[in-house]
Amino acid sequence: MSKRIDVRDLNIYYGDFQAVADVNMVIEPRSITALIGPSGCGKSTFLRTLNRMHEVIPGARVEGEVLIDDHNLYDPKVDPVQVRRLVGMVFQRPNPFPTMSIADNVLAGVKLNNRKMKSSEASDLVESSLRGANLWNEVKDRLDRPGSSLSGGQQQRLCIARAIAVRPEVLLMDEPCSALDPISTLAIEDLMIELKEKYTIVIVTHNMQQAARVSDRTGFFNLKATGEPGRLVEIDTTETMFSTPSQKETEDYISGRFG
Ligand SMILES: Nc1ncnc2c1ncn2[C@@H]1O[C@H](COP(=O)(O)OP(=O)(O)OP(=O)(O)O)[C@@H](O)[C@H]1O
């Protein structure tokens, strides 16, 4: 299921503005990679290029390659809708469809992909996705209640269930815990560690402890000055990045001297 991602010479633009320059990065399957760095250095922008969400913004474009198991996502023959099925995304604020039932929220992505299902198949998928997102026991008796009836942490797990229901290979998470309390945050972190047995996970986080707790590898982005593009300064095992990074700017950031 899970896939290796190989980013080669990636440059990312919003119109004339270059937001990110020259990223090269390999992301191993069944691992969690955390992207850290100060505000505005391009972490979220970079993340969105991994499932071609960047280009939905008018004028936004990329140069370079993103290979998933050796297939370039940016090959002109590739359908971006297919890419987004393969590479799912979970956003900062839980965004279930508020009036839609919990069960229909889980199925929303699958239905968008025009898959027709028998009702028994649909209910199996609802259950397995909610189990996969560690939410089943909390909601199994109220699947027809609206998504908005859940707490913030439950809503975020519902969004994770919706993302995994389409059976992606890669999961991108853009600050998935920033709107959550500490207990819900720990639940999502535990879930991420379980999910990496099946998926390749890339997470943007401002929370350094979170990066240290959950990720196998950490990439540090930085920018020299406002208006300059962000760059990947270094990427290594999380242990090395937090103990003996090779760049002084990484050490300064991690030790809280700036950012
Ligand atoms: N839709 C957009 N149009 C134009 N410029 C944008 C857009 N989104 C982001 N940018 C610019 O691209 C640069 C990188 O922004 P991005 O949000 O990727 O940074 P970030 O590291 O994720 O920041 P944060 O940690 O604050 O979320 C910034 O200069 C930002 O202003």
Side-chain angles (χ1 to χ4, degrees), residues 207-228:
N207 179 334
M208 230 93 77
Q209 283 86 11
Q210 177 164 78
R213 280 194 296 261
V214 301
S215 71
D216 302 290
R217 289 170 68 80
T218 297
F220 171 57
F221 281 80
N222 200 3
L223 77 177
K224 291 211 166 61
T226 316
E228 293 276 313

Side-chain angles (χ1 to χ4, degrees), residues 25 27 31-37 43 47 173 201-205 207-208 210-221 232 234-236 238 241-242:
M25 183 188 293
I27 297 168
S31 69
I32 301 180
T33 300
L35 306 178
I36 61 169
K43 307 174 296 291
L47 194 73
M173 298 183 163
I201 299 178
V202 187
I203 171 181
V204 167
T205 179
N207 179 334
M208 230 93 77
Q210 177 164 78
R213 280 194 296 261
V214 301
S215 71
D216 302 290
R217 289 170 68 80
T218 297
F220 171 57
F221 281 80
L232 176 67
E234 63 180 307
I235 180 163
D236 210 324
T238 297
M241 289 290 279
F242 281 88

Side-chain angles (χ1 to χ4, degrees), residues 79-208:
D79 173 6
V81 174
Q82 210 34 43
V83 171
R84 290 173 206 137
R85 199 201 63 71
L86 192 76
V87 185
M89 190 144 189
V90 174
F91 298 89
Q92 197 164 352
R93 300 212 153 263
N95 58 350
F97 299 106
T99 55
M100 203 184 258
S101 73
I102 292 170
D104 284 343
N105 260 288
V106 175
L107 297 172
V110 187
K111 288 187 175 159
L112 270 182
N113 282 299
N114 285 331
R115 256 193 69 203
K116 297 259 179 296
M117 271 183 297
K118 286 198 236 126
S119 78
S120 61
E121 193 192 345
S123 47
D124 286 351
L125 183 60
V126 167
E127 178 170 344
S128 62
S129 306
L130 288 168
R131 281 191 190 282
N134 267 346
L135 188 58
W136 174 249
N137 286 337
E138 288 157 73
V139 301
K140 62 177 190 259
D141 301 323
R142 47 174 170 148
L143 294 173
D144 54 351
R145 301 268 296 130
S148 57
S149 65
L150 300 176
S151 72
Q154 290 172 327
Q155 288 187 17
Q156 194 60 307
R157 280 179 282 146
L158 178 59
C159 293
I160 293 172
R162 181 176 65 193
I164 61 182
V166 294
R167 304 209 165 91
E169 314 267 3
V170 178
L171 271 182
L172 308 178
M173 298 183 163
D174 194 353
E175 296 185 52
C177 302
S178 64
L180 304 182
D181 63 77
I183 295 192
S184 306
T185 296
L186 285 181
I188 301 279
E189 289 180 4
D190 286 345
L191 174 58
M192 280 189 243
I193 290 166
E194 281 174 31
L195 290 174
K196 81 164 178 178
E197 287 176 20
K198 288 194 191 152
Y199 306 99
T200 307
I201 299 178
V202 187
I203 171 181
V204 167
T205 179
H206 274 128
N207 179 334
M208 230 93 77

Side-chain angles (χ1 to χ4, degrees), residues 6 14 18 22 59 67 72 77-78 89 110 115 124 148 194 201:
D6 190 348
Y14 292 100
Q18 182 167 12
D22 302 328
L67 307 177
N72 183 14
K77 292 195 282 289
V78 170
M89 190 144 189
V110 187
R115 256 193 69 203
D124 286 351
S148 57
E194 281 174 31
I201 299 178

